[in-house]
Amino acid sequence: MSLQSWAAWYARQGLEIFPVHVAVSGSCSCGVPGCNSPGKHPATKHGVKDATSDMAQIVKWWVENPSYNIGLHCNQFTVLDVDGEIGKESLRKFVKQNKDLTSFMNGPRAKTGGGGYHFFFKASDIGNKVGIAPGLDLRGAGGYVIAAPSLHHSGKRYEWDIGLNEGLIPDVPGWVRYLVKKQSGQFKSIQTRSNGEKPKIDIDALPSIANGTRHNELTRLAGRLFWEGRGFSEVAELLNKINFSKCSPPLGQRDIDRIVRGIARKEGLVG
């Protein structure tokens, strides 16, 4: 089936989708030179907030560009996003440690165009988490994944191994919840004030970030800051402070900007 037909199929299942830019010959259809998220970021102004199952709107989008990739809002699932070989190695390690093949054998799963996987679990209260382990992210309400048969910038397509209607959707594994709690515990926050001010992060209480782990750790921290509801400028400012106080040597400003913008696009916060 074409991307248009697949978009209509998702809508008929009651799933909310929206158009995502597509990469052709390595260039993103957004038209931005050197786009750092080609074929993965929203083609609409409000990103995942525009997601809908309204057939008329979906037909309009894919008539506008039949090649648009498909962004699937994860409001009805919790999705474990396994990123490439690093993510697969992490997953193998935790599955072996927890003797938990059952959670991953028969439930819905898709191969990503980048060589990873999307594993679908029942909706939960976890939300969106970046970097719960190397190469492992979680997507829930307010987040999205690229759905099959979208085209990855590598030229490979996303494809279902076990479709959404082909297997029972399992609960989120307990060890995944443990990783989320462990990640959250790395932040020391001051209680929210009565005026609604966001909790302050005690940067001094964060552990030092070793050379060789700077990019992964700062990416994880940026994801956490966005998840707390902070805006683009605030996340950029905080990440710069963490970079200069905890990384030795600190990453360059261009690297920090790429991390912040990359996470913002992944979360559908910028176009």
PDB file of all heavy atoms in Angstrom, residues 117-131:
ATOM      1  N   TYR A 117      14.214  -0.851  16.551  1.00  0.00           N
ATOM      2  CA  TYR A 117      12.866  -1.404  16.697  1.00  0.00           C
ATOM      3  C   TYR A 117      11.985  -0.453  17.491  1.00  0.00           C
ATOM      4  O   TYR A 117      12.469   0.343  18.312  1.00  0.00           O
ATOM      5  CB  TYR A 117      12.908  -2.744  17.446  1.00  0.00           C
ATOM      6  CG  TYR A 117      13.346  -3.924  16.615  1.00  0.00           C
ATOM      7  CD1 TYR A 117      14.684  -4.308  16.595  1.00  0.00           C
ATOM      8  CD2 TYR A 117      12.433  -4.643  15.856  1.00  0.00           C
ATOM      9  CE1 TYR A 117      15.103  -5.388  15.826  1.00  0.00           C
ATOM     10  CE2 TYR A 117      12.842  -5.725  15.086  1.00  0.00           C
ATOM     11  CZ  TYR A 117      14.172  -6.096  15.074  1.00  0.00           C
ATOM     12  OH  TYR A 117      14.569  -7.162  14.316  1.00  0.00           O
ATOM     13  N   HIS A 118      10.683  -0.570  17.254  1.00  0.00           N
ATOM     14  CA  HIS A 118       9.665   0.024  18.109  1.00  0.00           C
ATOM     15  C   HIS A 118       8.848  -1.115  18.710  1.00  0.00           C
ATOM     16  O   HIS A 118       8.235  -1.885  17.965  1.00  0.00           O
ATOM     17  CB  HIS A 118       8.727   0.955  17.319  1.00  0.00           C
ATOM     18  CG  HIS A 118       9.383   2.198  16.825  1.00  0.00           C
ATOM     19  ND1 HIS A 118       8.959   2.867  15.695  1.00  0.00           N
ATOM     20  CD2 HIS A 118      10.434   2.915  17.306  1.00  0.00           C
ATOM     21  CE1 HIS A 118       9.710   3.925  15.505  1.00  0.00           C
ATOM     22  NE2 HIS A 118      10.617   3.981  16.465  1.00  0.00           N
ATOM     23  N   PHE A 119       8.859  -1.227  20.036  1.00  0.00           N
ATOM     24  CA  PHE A 119       8.050  -2.226  20.724  1.00  0.00           C
ATOM     25  C   PHE A 119       6.870  -1.512  21.381  1.00  0.00           C
ATOM     26  O   PHE A 119       7.058  -0.537  22.114  1.00  0.00           O
ATOM     27  CB  PHE A 119       8.870  -2.962  21.779  1.00  0.00           C
ATOM     28  CG  PHE A 119       9.911  -3.886  21.208  1.00  0.00           C
ATOM     29  CD1 PHE A 119      11.206  -3.443  20.995  1.00  0.00           C
ATOM     30  CD2 PHE A 119       9.584  -5.197  20.887  1.00  0.00           C
ATOM     31  CE1 PHE A 119      12.172  -4.298  20.460  1.00  0.00           C
ATOM     32  CE2 PHE A 119      10.542  -6.057  20.349  1.00  0.00           C
ATOM     33  CZ  PHE A 119      11.836  -5.607  20.136  1.00  0.00           C
ATOM     34  N   PHE A 120       5.664  -2.020  21.119  1.00  0.00           N
ATOM     35  CA  PHE A 120       4.446  -1.373  21.586  1.00  0.00           C
ATOM     36  C   PHE A 120       3.904  -2.070  22.836  1.00  0.00           C
ATOM     37  O   PHE A 120       3.699  -3.285  22.845  1.00  0.00           O
ATOM     38  CB  PHE A 120       3.385  -1.370  20.483  1.00  0.00           C
ATOM     39  CG  PHE A 120       3.686  -0.410  19.371  1.00  0.00           C
ATOM     40  CD1 PHE A 120       4.696  -0.673  18.457  1.00  0.00           C
ATOM     41  CD2 PHE A 120       2.976   0.774  19.250  1.00  0.00           C
ATOM     42  CE1 PHE A 120       5.001   0.231  17.443  1.00  0.00           C
ATOM     43  CE2 PHE A 120       3.267   1.680  18.238  1.00  0.00           C
ATOM     44  CZ  PHE A 120       4.278   1.407  17.336  1.00  0.00           C
ATOM     45  N   PHE A 121       3.656  -1.260  23.878  1.00  0.00           N
ATOM     46  CA  PHE A 121       3.089  -1.748  25.134  1.00  0.00           C
ATOM     47  C   PHE A 121       1.822  -0.952  25.445  1.00  0.00           C
ATOM     48  O   PHE A 121       1.534   0.067  24.813  1.00  0.00           O
ATOM     49  CB  PHE A 121       4.098  -1.592  26.268  1.00  0.00           C
ATOM     50  CG  PHE A 121       5.369  -2.368  26.051  1.00  0.00           C
ATOM     51  CD1 PHE A 121       6.501  -1.757  25.541  1.00  0.00           C
ATOM     52  CD2 PHE A 121       5.418  -3.718  26.348  1.00  0.00           C
ATOM     53  CE1 PHE A 121       7.670  -2.469  25.319  1.00  0.00           C
ATOM     54  CE2 PHE A 121       6.579  -4.447  26.135  1.00  0.00           C
ATOM     55  CZ  PHE A 121       7.700  -3.824  25.623  1.00  0.00           C
ATOM     56  N   LYS A 122       1.067  -1.435  26.430  1.00  0.00           N
ATOM     57  CA  LYS A 122      -0.152  -0.739  26.824  1.00  0.00           C
ATOM     58  C   LYS A 122       0.181   0.668  27.313  1.00  0.00           C
ATOM     59  O   LYS A 122       1.257   0.917  27.857  1.00  0.00           O
ATOM     60  CB  LYS A 122      -0.866  -1.524  27.923  1.00  0.00           C
ATOM     61  CG  LYS A 122      -1.457  -2.850  27.461  1.00  0.00           C
ATOM     62  CD  LYS A 122      -2.113  -3.589  28.614  1.00  0.00           C
ATOM     63  CE  LYS A 122      -2.665  -4.940  28.160  1.00  0.00           C
ATOM     64  NZ  LYS A 122      -3.260  -5.712  29.283  1.00  0.00           N
ATOM     65  N   ALA A 123      -0.770   1.575  27.125  1.00  0.00           N
ATOM     66  CA  ALA A 123      -0.592   2.951  27.594  1.00  0.00           C
ATOM     67  C   ALA A 123      -0.330   2.947  29.102  1.00  0.00           C
ATOM     68  O   ALA A 123      -0.873   2.126  29.841  1.00  0.00           O
ATOM     69  CB  ALA A 123      -1.826   3.781  27.263  1.00  0.00           C
ATOM     70  N   SER A 124       0.518   3.868  29.532  1.00  0.00           N
ATOM     71  CA  SER A 124       0.884   3.932  30.944  1.00  0.00           C
ATOM     72  C   SER A 124       1.036   5.385  31.369  1.00  0.00           C
ATOM     73  O   SER A 124       0.844   6.302  30.568  1.00  0.00           O
ATOM     74  CB  SER A 124       2.204   3.176  31.179  1.00  0.00           C
ATOM     75  OG  SER A 124       3.273   3.885  30.570  1.00  0.00           O
ATOM     76  N   ASP A 125       1.407   5.570  32.625  1.00  0.00           N
ATOM     77  CA  ASP A 125       1.603   6.925  33.148  1.00  0.00           C
ATOM     78  C   ASP A 125       3.058   7.380  33.035  1.00  0.00           C
ATOM     79  O   ASP A 125       3.441   8.405  33.575  1.00  0.00           O
ATOM     80  CB  ASP A 125       1.166   6.989  34.616  1.00  0.00           C
ATOM     81  CG  ASP A 125       1.929   5.985  35.494  1.00  0.00           C
ATOM     82  OD1 ASP A 125       2.717   5.197  34.950  1.00  0.00           O
ATOM     83  OD2 ASP A 125       1.703   6.001  36.724  1.00  0.00           O
ATOM     84  N   ILE A 126       3.874   6.636  32.300  1.00  0.00           N
ATOM     85  CA  ILE A 126       5.309   6.945  32.226  1.00  0.00           C
ATOM     86  C   ILE A 126       5.581   8.205  31.419  1.00  0.00           C
ATOM     87  O   ILE A 126       6.440   9.010  31.757  1.00  0.00           O
ATOM     88  CB  ILE A 126       6.086   5.754  31.622  1.00  0.00           C
ATOM     89  CG1 ILE A 126       6.023   4.556  32.567  1.00  0.00           C
ATOM     90  CG2 ILE A 126       7.537   6.133  31.348  1.00  0.00           C
ATOM     91  CD1 ILE A 126       6.658   3.297  32.009  1.00  0.00           C
ATOM     92  N   GLY A 127       4.842   8.396  30.329  1.00  0.00           N
ATOM     93  CA  GLY A 127       5.075   9.560  29.482  1.00  0.00           C
ATOM     94  C   GLY A 127       6.247   9.355  28.532  1.00  0.00           C
ATOM     95  O   GLY A 127       6.515   8.230  28.101  1.00  0.00           O
ATOM     96  N   ASN A 128       6.958  10.438  28.240  1.00  0.00           N
ATOM     97  CA  ASN A 128       8.073  10.409  27.295  1.00  0.00           C
ATOM     98  C   ASN A 128       9.399  10.542  28.032  1.00  0.00           C
ATOM     99  O   ASN A 128       9.590  11.473  28.811  1.00  0.00           O
ATOM    100  CB  ASN A 128       7.926  11.547  26.284  1.00  0.00           C
ATOM    101  CG  ASN A 128       6.673  11.409  25.455  1.00  0.00           C
ATOM    102  OD1 ASN A 128       6.634  10.621  24.525  1.00  0.00           O
ATOM    103  ND2 ASN A 128       5.642  12.169  25.803  1.00  0.00           N
ATOM    104  N   LYS A 129      10.285   9.591  27.794  1.00  0.00           N
ATOM    105  CA  LYS A 129      11.584   9.592  28.463  1.00  0.00           C
ATOM    106  C   LYS A 129      12.678   9.347  27.423  1.00  0.00           C
ATOM    107  O   LYS A 129      12.569   8.423  26.626  1.00  0.00           O
ATOM    108  CB  LYS A 129      11.669   8.489  29.517  1.00  0.00           C
ATOM    109  CG  LYS A 129      10.531   8.503  30.539  1.00  0.00           C
ATOM    110  CD  LYS A 129      10.653   9.679  31.483  1.00  0.00           C
ATOM    111  CE  LYS A 129       9.562   9.608  32.549  1.00  0.00           C
ATOM    112  NZ  LYS A 129       9.610  10.780  33.436  1.00  0.00           N
ATOM    113  N   VAL A 130      13.715  10.145  27.480  1.00  0.00           N
ATOM    114  CA  VAL A 130      14.840   9.991  26.560  1.00  0.00           C
ATOM    115  C   VAL A 130      16.028   9.423  27.326  1.00  0.00           C
ATOM    116  O   VAL A 130      16.380   9.906  28.400  1.00  0.00           O
ATOM    117  CB  VAL A 130      15.225  11.342  25.926  1.00  0.00           C
ATOM    118  CG1 VAL A 130      16.463  11.202  25.058  1.00  0.00           C
ATOM    119  CG2 VAL A 130      14.061  11.886  25.110  1.00  0.00           C
ATOM    120  N   GLY A 131      16.638   8.367  26.792  1.00  0.00           N
ATOM    121  CA  GLY A 131      17.864   7.847  27.358  1.00  0.00           C
ATOM    122  C   GLY A 131      17.704   7.137  28.683  1.00  0.00           C
ATOM    123  O   GLY A 131      18.512   7.338  29.593  1.00  0.00           O
TER     124      GLY A 131
END
